[in-house]
Amino acid sequence: MSESNLEYEFEFDVRLPKDLEIGTATSSWQIEGSVDSRGSSIWDDFAKVPGAIKGGITGEPAVDHINRVEEDLDLLKWLGVDAYRFSVSWPRVIPGGTGEVSQEGLGFYDKLVDGLLARGIKPAVTIYHWDLPSTLQAAGGWPVRETAERYADYVEVLANKLGDRVDRWATHNEPWVAAYLGHAAGWHAPGIKDDAKALAAAYHLMYSHGLGVERLRAAGAKNVGIALNLIPTFADTPSAEAAAHHIHLLQNQFWLDLLAGKGVNAELMAATSHITDWSFVNEADLPLIAAPIDWIGENYYSVTRTTDVNLGGEGGNGQDTHAFPGIPDTAFAPRPPVTNMGWEIYPAGLTYVLEMIAQNLPGVPIWVTENGASVTDVVDGNKVIDPVRTHYIRAHIAALLDARKAGVDVRGYYAWSLMDNIEWAEGIDQRFGIVRVDPVTLERIPKNSALWLREAIQERNQRA
Ligand code: BGC
């Protein structure tokens, strides 16, 4: 999609409030590289499957963050962000998934945390952003309960080492994606297409969240939460309403209900009873999963619109009925403008989803832990021109502020992503960075969107 049809004017002026924490986010497998200095993950295995990742991209060199960490820290300092959200690679810390800890691997994150603090930036850690150790996949992966117990041991290692300095912890990033793109649609690692396993994975991810919260708190860690990708889902036609509702249950209500102490959503269990008997649910886990969290993260990019099958909507990336076990026949119909991912740009959806979270989890402060767009950048000398991304970010901050006006307690906004990186199965063609990474030299060049964010932060800091 060319930029031209995305050009549109915004009739507002966004000024960052003093009490909104501004950050950027990344994840380990997408940026680190240095694969040989850690254990293997399911994404390394997936990358070996012909055709699984576009362009045959692997985790090496990614954007070589392991070797360029000082430069990347300086970039964050230059940007002026309050916080940086990164994820820890489990197989870098515990190469075999369980057992021996790599002091070198753990030491990398220890220095990263210190490097952030030395620059006045708050470290926000995501414990699991999809790179499960291969050994644990061989033992059954997330469809089996024991994986959650291995995860809890990994959490304890991190909490003991970093708990005194990390500002904010997320047990998981988007468990919906790990469960359903990984085990139902099979587009993501581990590339399984088995609806029953996907539902079990979703539950065990949340069980592991509960265990993780417990271990974090036991180690004295503060600000413990989780980052979800709840998506407003609307039906374009009355006959597509059942599909929209089914998506809502899988994508939103399942996670919110478990966190709110309402257990596994009964309607979803009934609607998927032909797929699984849900016997993997242990009632005794539910209070643990619902232990109050200090904050919740929302990663927001777009909305989902269902329509009649015969209207033949194509859907954006990730909008595939195979990702939704038990869904009635439907098609997806994103409305223009869309990004290069085919995702509809719909800032009002952010306001909507923030209100939805507040209704389901009253009293839990919300951080927008990811928001951003893959659009085509124009490189002109040392400038990188990306007006649509800048507009996108501004429009979504404005939508966040609308939710605040409606009384929702939103405390942070993190742009995805600090820099261009591996967009999972999409390889390196989809570029979400506010900083460009040259695909050949890996040189970092701030895009105009980064310049805008930097100026907006400076203006905020100077304001009385
Ligand atoms: C994920 C990121 C990903 C981004 C864009 C989120 O689903 O947390 O890892 O790169 O969206 O697809």
Side-chain angles (χ1 to χ4, degrees):
M1 156 136 311
S2 73
E3 294 258 306
S4 57
N5 65 343
L6 292 173
E7 295 287 358
Y8 53 98
E9 289 297 316
F10 290 104
E11 292 166 7
F12 53 77
D13 178 31
V14 180
R15 301 216 307 169
L16 302 177
K18 291 250 180 205
D19 60 351
L20 182 69
E21 183 180 281
I22 302 295
T24 60
T26 60
S27 89
S28 47
W29 196 82
Q30 294 181 275
I31 64 167
E32 286 184 355
S34 297
V35 169
D36 292 344
S37 61
R38 59 161 169 77
S40 169
S41 81
I42 54 173
W43 275 92
D44 302 311
D45 300 330
F46 196 57
K48 289 182 191 137
V49 178
I53 299 188
K54 283 193 185 146
I57 295 297
T58 71
E60 196 72 273
V63 298
D64 196 28
H65 171 68
I66 292 284
N67 295 312
R68 295 173 196 238
V69 62
E70 288 298 318
E71 181 188 345
D72 291 340
L73 283 165
D74 289 344
L75 192 58
L76 287 161
K77 170 82 182 162
W78 170 87
L79 204 51
V81 286
D82 307 313
Y84 172 57
R85 173 177 180 250
F86 63 93
S87 82
V88 173
S89 159
W90 183 347
R92 190 173 291 289
V93 171
I94 307 177
T98 178
E100 206 182 325
V101 173
S102 158
Q103 293 308 326
E104 187 193 335
L106 190 56
F108 174 78
Y109 300 106
D110 191 45
K111 283 202 199 102
L112 178 57
V113 165
D114 283 344
L116 289 166
L117 292 173
R119 289 166 179 82
I121 302 165
K122 294 177 186 170
V125 171
T126 305
I127 294 173
Y128 184 77
H129 199 129
W130 311 345
D131 42 359
L132 186 73
S134 301
T135 46
L136 296 183
Q137 187 60 43
W142 288 112
V144 306
R145 186 172 174 89
E146 288 70 25
T147 302
E149 280 142 21
R150 301 292 77 75
Y151 167 88
D153 296 339
Y154 157 57
V155 173
E156 191 172 316
V157 170
L158 295 188
N160 285 336
K161 183 76 174 178
L162 309 174
D164 55 339
R165 285 157 294 149
V166 165
D167 188 63
R168 182 166 309 287
W169 294 89
T171 53
H172 281 280
N173 177 74
E174 302 188 3
W176 179 87
V177 172
Y180 296 104
L181 294 189
H183 300 80
W187 293 7
H188 274 199
I192 291 170
K193 295 179 186 170
D194 181 324
D195 287 353
K197 284 190 175 166
L199 292 162
Y203 177 75
H204 292 134
L205 282 156
M206 285 308 278
Y207 172 50
S208 81
H209 158 80
L211 293 171
V213 169
E214 190 178 55
R215 300 285 179 104
L216 284 160
R217 294 241 165 89
K222 58 178 182 173
N223 295 334
V224 175
I226 185 169
L228 302 177
N229 64 318
L230 308 174
I231 304 184
T233 302
F234 306 117
D236 261 4
T237 58
S239 58
E241 267 164 24
H245 184 65
H246 190 80
I247 292 174
H248 171 71
L249 296 178
L250 283 162
Q251 184 101 50
N252 306 327
Q253 208 59 55
F254 171 80
W255 317 97
L256 291 167
D257 280 356
L258 281 170
L259 292 171
K262 295 180 181 158
V264 180
N265 183 278
E267 215 184 326
L268 180 65
M269 286 174 89
T272 52
S273 59
H274 59 296
I275 299 170
T276 178
D277 61 7
W278 291 85
S279 55
F280 46 80
V281 174
N282 181 343
E283 289 289 318
D285 302 340
L286 300 176
L288 182 88
I289 300 174
I293 46 177
D294 301 306
W295 67 283
I296 184 159
E298 161 66 8
N299 296 352
Y300 178 81
Y301 292 89
S302 189
V303 285
T304 299
R305 295 186 197 277
T306 56
T307 190
D308 292 359
V309 183
N310 57 13
L311 292 179
E314 285 231 328
N317 190 298
Q319 295 186 321
D320 174 343
T321 52
H322 295 102
F324 302 101
I327 191 174
D329 272 359
T330 195
F332 296 99
R335 296 178 186 168
V338 298
T339 66
N340 287 356
M341 293 289 276
W343 293 349
E344 174 175 340
I345 300 178
Y346 189 65
L350 177 59
T351 317
Y352 180 99
V353 82
L354 292 171
E355 289 178 346
M356 179 169 86
I357 296 170
Q359 277 156 18
N360 281 273
L361 296 170
V364 181
I366 310 171
W367 265 250
V368 174
T369 31
E370 284 181 29
N371 175 246
S374 169
V375 291
T376 306
D377 303 322
V378 176
V379 183
D380 179 8
N382 61 359
K383 284 192 192 146
V384 186
I385 303 161
D386 62 337
V388 177
R389 182 175 293 104
T390 309
H391 282 171
Y392 181 100
I393 291 173
R394 289 171 41 138
H396 284 81
I397 293 175
L400 178 161
L401 297 179
D402 284 347
R404 273 193 172 200
K405 276 183 220 135
V408 181
D409 183 8
V410 199
R411 302 203 189 160
Y413 174 90
Y414 289 30
W416 182 272
S417 178
L418 168 64
M419 52 192 164
D420 294 335
N421 54 49
I422 307 175
E423 178 49 28
W424 304 109
E426 292 296 313
I428 59 169
D429 294 340
Q430 297 285 352
R431 303 172 80 76
F432 282 82
I434 59 170
V435 172
R436 174 180 155 84
V437 178
D438 185 281
V440 179
T441 65
L442 304 183
E443 186 191 355
R444 279 78 161 135
I445 307 171
K447 302 180 188 178
N448 282 355
S449 52
L451 298 175
W452 176 81
L453 189 62
R454 180 171 187 254
E455 277 172 26
I457 294 169
Q458 284 174 349
E459 185 277 329
R460 177 200 69 181
N461 294 347
Q462 282 154 13
R463 203 186 310 144

